[in-house]
Amino acid sequence: SDLSPPASAPARRQHGALRHHAYSHTLSMMRFALLASAAGRASGLGRRRGLAMANPTAQFKTSQGEFKVELFMDKLPVTCSNFKDLATTGFYDGLTFHRVIKGFMCQFGCPNSANAQSPVAGTGGPPGNTEFSLPDGSTVARDGGGNIPDELVAEISNEPMTISMANTGAPNSGGSQFFLNTVHNSFLDYFDERTPSKHPVFGKVVEGMDVVKAIEGVKTDARDKPVEAVRVESVTIVE
């Protein structure tokens, strides 16, 4: 992950400059158009039916308690549908928060974190070359590494209690990992030019904020890993 607190932003800016190439810019623009079209189809589906479609929610049951997240399916259908698919297939069940930094964020979603002491927790993602469905019935394919296209189509800031996609810093490198913002990390917004970080927000905590704060407050080691594992027992999608 390229997630670092604001103090390291200058180093990350220099590193990010080395990553940007003309071809990736062109590819990103093409993906942006496709994703905007997907978002339009998802919201248009509800309008054609004459319905105000409520966004789904995700109920997290953890060793610290429960919290509920609204998924912004109406704005980021690809990112939310990827998360929904992983949640409903049990991908997240039994995993742990592998990185917690007080005054910053809590990161989760790596399959390697099932072993809370794994030295490679934070490096994994979904199986490659798999598919998931969007609200309009179309499908999106994950690449060979299990990554999905960046969905940089809604200017939603990384405010406290929002949930945002983690990635390596390279384009289209998000998969299953995400983080819960515990402060306003605006420098992680894709539309904030201060750093090269591009982390799209795809939901927000609507119940159980105290549980998220409790997770943020657990004792951690030198690697920012909780000393006592914070395990997610289940993630249940309610539509």
mmCIF file of all heavy atoms in Angstrom, residues 91 94-98 108-126 176-177 225 231:
data_model
loop_
_atom_site.group_PDB
_atom_site.id
_atom_site.type_symbol
_atom_site.label_atom_id
_atom_site.label_comp_id
_atom_site.label_asym_id
_atom_site.label_seq_id
_atom_site.Cartn_x
_atom_site.Cartn_y
_atom_site.Cartn_z
ATOM 1 N N PHE A 91 -15.224 -13.689 1.535
ATOM 2 C CA PHE A 91 -13.796 -13.404 1.383
ATOM 3 C C PHE A 91 -13.225 -12.728 2.628
ATOM 4 O O PHE A 91 -12.083 -13.021 3.035
ATOM 5 C CB PHE A 91 -13.582 -12.520 0.153
ATOM 6 C CG PHE A 91 -12.150 -12.141 -0.118
ATOM 7 C CD1 PHE A 91 -11.360 -12.925 -0.948
ATOM 8 C CD2 PHE A 91 -11.601 -10.990 0.433
ATOM 9 C CE1 PHE A 91 -10.038 -12.575 -1.201
ATOM 10 C CE2 PHE A 91 -10.280 -10.640 0.180
ATOM 11 C CZ PHE A 91 -9.503 -11.432 -0.640
ATOM 12 N N GLY A 94 -13.092 -13.614 8.898
ATOM 13 C CA GLY A 94 -11.933 -14.144 9.611
ATOM 14 C C GLY A 94 -10.645 -13.369 9.413
ATOM 15 O O GLY A 94 -9.627 -13.696 10.032
ATOM 16 N N LEU A 95 -10.660 -12.338 8.564
ATOM 17 C CA LEU A 95 -9.456 -11.532 8.361
ATOM 18 C C LEU A 95 -9.290 -10.522 9.496
ATOM 19 O O LEU A 95 -10.229 -10.257 10.247
ATOM 20 C CB LEU A 95 -9.513 -10.813 7.010
ATOM 21 C CG LEU A 95 -9.720 -11.687 5.773
ATOM 22 C CD1 LEU A 95 -9.586 -10.854 4.506
ATOM 23 C CD2 LEU A 95 -8.734 -12.848 5.757
ATOM 24 N N THR A 96 -8.104 -9.957 9.613
ATOM 25 C CA THR A 96 -7.827 -9.001 10.690
ATOM 26 C C THR A 96 -7.400 -7.643 10.127
ATOM 27 O O THR A 96 -6.939 -7.548 8.981
ATOM 28 C CB THR A 96 -6.707 -9.518 11.608
ATOM 29 O OG1 THR A 96 -5.499 -9.676 10.840
ATOM 30 C CG2 THR A 96 -7.088 -10.851 12.240
ATOM 31 N N PHE A 97 -7.555 -6.616 10.945
ATOM 32 C CA PHE A 97 -7.003 -5.306 10.600
ATOM 33 C C PHE A 97 -5.488 -5.417 10.735
ATOM 34 O O PHE A 97 -4.962 -5.594 11.831
ATOM 35 C CB PHE A 97 -7.556 -4.225 11.535
ATOM 36 C CG PHE A 97 -8.929 -3.761 11.176
ATOM 37 C CD1 PHE A 97 -10.051 -4.449 11.621
ATOM 38 C CD2 PHE A 97 -9.127 -2.638 10.377
ATOM 39 C CE1 PHE A 97 -11.337 -4.029 11.282
ATOM 40 C CE2 PHE A 97 -10.394 -2.207 10.034
ATOM 41 C CZ PHE A 97 -11.503 -2.903 10.485
ATOM 42 N N HIS A 98 -4.778 -5.329 9.606
ATOM 43 C CA HIS A 98 -3.336 -5.563 9.628
ATOM 44 C C HIS A 98 -2.517 -4.300 9.832
ATOM 45 O O HIS A 98 -1.308 -4.380 10.057
ATOM 46 C CB HIS A 98 -2.888 -6.258 8.329
ATOM 47 C CG HIS A 98 -3.101 -5.445 7.092
ATOM 48 N ND1 HIS A 98 -4.273 -5.505 6.365
ATOM 49 C CD2 HIS A 98 -2.292 -4.557 6.443
ATOM 50 C CE1 HIS A 98 -4.167 -4.690 5.322
ATOM 51 N NE2 HIS A 98 -2.991 -4.103 5.350
ATOM 52 N N PHE A 108 -7.672 -2.795 6.278
ATOM 53 C CA PHE A 108 -8.228 -4.152 6.345
ATOM 54 C C PHE A 108 -8.395 -4.707 4.933
ATOM 55 O O PHE A 108 -8.394 -3.968 3.952
ATOM 56 C CB PHE A 108 -9.590 -4.097 7.047
ATOM 57 C CG PHE A 108 -10.327 -5.402 7.097
ATOM 58 C CD1 PHE A 108 -10.003 -6.364 8.033
ATOM 59 C CD2 PHE A 108 -11.344 -5.677 6.199
ATOM 60 C CE1 PHE A 108 -10.670 -7.579 8.077
ATOM 61 C CE2 PHE A 108 -12.024 -6.883 6.229
ATOM 62 C CZ PHE A 108 -11.678 -7.841 7.179
ATOM 63 N N GLY A 109 -8.553 -6.041 4.844
ATOM 64 C CA GLY A 109 -8.967 -6.652 3.589
ATOM 65 C C GLY A 109 -7.954 -7.528 2.900
ATOM 66 O O GLY A 109 -8.233 -8.058 1.821
ATOM 67 N N CYS A 110 -6.767 -7.727 3.503
ATOM 68 C CA CYS A 110 -5.767 -8.591 2.892
ATOM 69 C C CYS A 110 -6.014 -10.037 3.316
ATOM 70 O O CYS A 110 -6.083 -10.320 4.514
ATOM 71 C CB CYS A 110 -4.361 -8.174 3.309
ATOM 72 S SG CYS A 110 -3.078 -9.309 2.710
ATOM 73 N N PRO A 111 -6.125 -10.969 2.372
ATOM 74 C CA PRO A 111 -6.375 -12.363 2.746
ATOM 75 C C PRO A 111 -5.256 -12.971 3.594
ATOM 76 O O PRO A 111 -5.497 -13.891 4.375
ATOM 77 C CB PRO A 111 -6.505 -13.076 1.399
ATOM 78 C CG PRO A 111 -5.817 -12.190 0.415
ATOM 79 C CD PRO A 111 -6.050 -10.800 0.914
ATOM 80 N N ASN A 112 -4.050 -12.435 3.468
ATOM 81 C CA ASN A 112 -2.929 -12.947 4.270
ATOM 82 C C ASN A 112 -3.063 -12.611 5.749
ATOM 83 O O ASN A 112 -2.368 -13.186 6.580
ATOM 84 C CB ASN A 112 -1.599 -12.384 3.745
ATOM 85 C CG ASN A 112 -1.325 -12.785 2.309
ATOM 86 O OD1 ASN A 112 -1.626 -13.902 1.900
ATOM 87 N ND2 ASN A 112 -0.773 -11.871 1.529
ATOM 88 N N SER A 113 -3.966 -11.674 6.070
ATOM 89 C CA SER A 113 -4.128 -11.252 7.464
ATOM 90 C C SER A 113 -4.957 -12.229 8.280
ATOM 91 O O SER A 113 -5.173 -12.015 9.477
ATOM 92 C CB SER A 113 -4.758 -9.861 7.531
ATOM 93 O OG SER A 113 -6.137 -9.902 7.147
ATOM 94 N N ALA A 114 -5.428 -13.307 7.668
ATOM 95 C CA ALA A 114 -6.112 -14.344 8.452
ATOM 96 C C ALA A 114 -5.177 -14.836 9.552
ATOM 97 O O ALA A 114 -5.607 -15.162 10.656
ATOM 98 C CB ALA A 114 -6.545 -15.499 7.551
ATOM 99 N N ASN A 115 -3.893 -14.882 9.220
ATOM 100 C CA ASN A 115 -2.852 -15.087 10.226
ATOM 101 C C ASN A 115 -2.413 -13.703 10.666
ATOM 102 O O ASN A 115 -1.702 -13.004 9.937
ATOM 103 C CB ASN A 115 -1.679 -15.863 9.646
ATOM 104 C CG ASN A 115 -0.492 -15.956 10.596
ATOM 105 O OD1 ASN A 115 -0.548 -15.493 11.735
ATOM 106 N ND2 ASN A 115 0.589 -16.544 10.130
ATOM 107 N N ALA A 116 -2.843 -13.288 11.848
ATOM 108 C CA ALA A 116 -2.630 -11.916 12.292
ATOM 109 C C ALA A 116 -1.161 -11.532 12.372
ATOM 110 O O ALA A 116 -0.822 -10.350 12.308
ATOM 111 C CB ALA A 116 -3.290 -11.708 13.656
ATOM 112 N N GLN A 117 -0.266 -12.506 12.485
ATOM 113 C CA GLN A 117 1.164 -12.215 12.589
ATOM 114 C C GLN A 117 1.911 -12.425 11.268
ATOM 115 O O GLN A 117 3.132 -12.378 11.235
ATOM 116 C CB GLN A 117 1.782 -13.088 13.682
ATOM 117 C CG GLN A 117 1.223 -12.828 15.069
ATOM 118 C CD GLN A 117 1.322 -11.362 15.467
ATOM 119 O OE1 GLN A 117 2.363 -10.730 15.274
ATOM 120 N NE2 GLN A 117 0.239 -10.820 16.003
ATOM 121 N N SER A 118 1.181 -12.647 10.201
ATOM 122 C CA SER A 118 1.826 -12.900 8.916
ATOM 123 C C SER A 118 2.676 -11.709 8.482
ATOM 124 O O SER A 118 2.199 -10.568 8.478
ATOM 125 C CB SER A 118 0.785 -13.186 7.836
ATOM 126 O OG SER A 118 1.394 -13.235 6.559
ATOM 127 N N PRO A 119 3.932 -11.950 8.089
ATOM 128 C CA PRO A 119 4.780 -10.852 7.628
ATOM 129 C C PRO A 119 4.364 -10.302 6.261
ATOM 130 O O PRO A 119 4.822 -9.233 5.861
ATOM 131 C CB PRO A 119 6.181 -11.494 7.555
ATOM 132 C CG PRO A 119 5.913 -12.943 7.344
ATOM 133 C CD PRO A 119 4.653 -13.234 8.112
ATOM 134 N N VAL A 120 3.494 -11.033 5.558
ATOM 135 C CA VAL A 120 3.046 -10.551 4.248
ATOM 136 C C VAL A 120 1.619 -10.007 4.288
ATOM 137 O O VAL A 120 1.030 -9.735 3.240
ATOM 138 C CB VAL A 120 3.162 -11.657 3.175
ATOM 139 C CG1 VAL A 120 4.612 -12.003 2.919
ATOM 140 C CG2 VAL A 120 2.371 -12.892 3.559
ATOM 141 N N ALA A 121 1.062 -9.831 5.481
ATOM 142 C CA ALA A 121 -0.258 -9.195 5.583
ATOM 143 C C ALA A 121 -0.158 -7.777 5.027
ATOM 144 O O ALA A 121 0.744 -7.024 5.379
ATOM 145 C CB ALA A 121 -0.717 -9.160 7.033
ATOM 146 N N GLY A 122 -1.070 -7.452 4.134
ATOM 147 C CA GLY A 122 -1.039 -6.152 3.472
ATOM 148 C C GLY A 122 -0.586 -6.230 2.036
ATOM 149 O O GLY A 122 -0.589 -5.217 1.331
ATOM 150 N N THR A 123 -0.229 -7.432 1.580
ATOM 151 C CA THR A 123 0.272 -7.576 0.206
ATOM 152 C C THR A 123 -0.685 -8.357 -0.693
ATOM 153 O O THR A 123 -0.424 -8.487 -1.891
ATOM 154 C CB THR A 123 1.636 -8.303 0.197
ATOM 155 O OG1 THR A 123 1.462 -9.639 0.697
ATOM 156 C CG2 THR A 123 2.653 -7.575 1.058
ATOM 157 N N GLY A 124 -1.780 -8.890 -0.137
ATOM 158 C CA GLY A 124 -2.657 -9.763 -0.909
ATOM 159 C C GLY A 124 -3.914 -9.087 -1.427
ATOM 160 O O GLY A 124 -4.218 -7.942 -1.097
ATOM 161 N N GLY A 125 -4.638 -9.850 -2.246
ATOM 162 C CA GLY A 125 -5.884 -9.343 -2.819
ATOM 163 C C GLY A 125 -6.762 -10.490 -3.279
ATOM 164 O O GLY A 125 -6.505 -11.655 -2.971
ATOM 165 N N PRO A 126 -7.798 -10.199 -4.043
ATOM 166 C CA PRO A 126 -8.720 -11.231 -4.523
ATOM 167 C C PRO A 126 -8.057 -12.139 -5.567
ATOM 168 O O PRO A 126 -7.021 -11.780 -6.136
ATOM 169 C CB PRO A 126 -9.861 -10.431 -5.162
ATOM 170 C CG PRO A 126 -9.640 -9.014 -4.772
ATOM 171 C CD PRO A 126 -8.183 -8.863 -4.517
ATOM 172 N N SER A 176 -8.941 -5.871 -2.825
ATOM 173 C CA SER A 176 -9.835 -6.153 -1.708
ATOM 174 C C SER A 176 -9.564 -5.267 -0.502
ATOM 175 O O SER A 176 -10.388 -5.181 0.406
ATOM 176 C CB SER A 176 -9.688 -7.620 -1.278
ATOM 177 O OG SER A 176 -8.347 -7.900 -0.896
ATOM 178 N N GLN A 177 -8.405 -4.613 -0.463
ATOM 179 C CA GLN A 177 -8.034 -3.847 0.715
ATOM 180 C C GLN A 177 -8.638 -2.449 0.707
ATOM 181 O O GLN A 177 -8.748 -1.813 -0.337
ATOM 182 C CB GLN A 177 -6.509 -3.751 0.823
ATOM 183 C CG GLN A 177 -5.837 -5.092 1.083
ATOM 184 C CD GLN A 177 -4.369 -4.927 1.379
ATOM 185 O OE1 GLN A 177 -3.965 -4.084 2.174
ATOM 186 N NE2 GLN A 177 -3.545 -5.752 0.732
ATOM 187 N N LYS A 225 0.931 -2.900 13.490
ATOM 188 C CA LYS A 225 0.047 -4.060 13.551
ATOM 189 C C LYS A 225 -0.508 -4.180 14.971
ATOM 190 O O LYS A 225 0.249 -4.093 15.944
ATOM 191 C CB LYS A 225 0.826 -5.323 13.179
ATOM 192 C CG LYS A 225 -0.028 -6.569 12.994
ATOM 193 C CD LYS A 225 0.841 -7.788 12.711
ATOM 194 C CE LYS A 225 1.646 -7.624 11.440
ATOM 195 N NZ LYS A 225 0.785 -7.615 10.236
ATOM 196 N N ARG A 231 -10.229 -8.911 14.744
ATOM 197 C CA ARG A 231 -10.690 -9.810 13.696
ATOM 198 C C ARG A 231 -12.118 -9.468 13.260
ATOM 199 O O ARG A 231 -12.963 -9.146 14.091
ATOM 200 C CB ARG A 231 -10.635 -11.259 14.177
ATOM 201 C CG ARG A 231 -10.744 -12.304 13.066
ATOM 202 C CD ARG A 231 -10.436 -13.702 13.594
ATOM 203 N NE ARG A 231 -9.078 -13.825 14.142
ATOM 204 C CZ ARG A 231 -7.996 -14.065 13.412
ATOM 205 N NH1 ARG A 231 -8.120 -14.198 12.080
ATOM 206 N NH2 ARG A 231 -6.809 -14.160 13.974
#
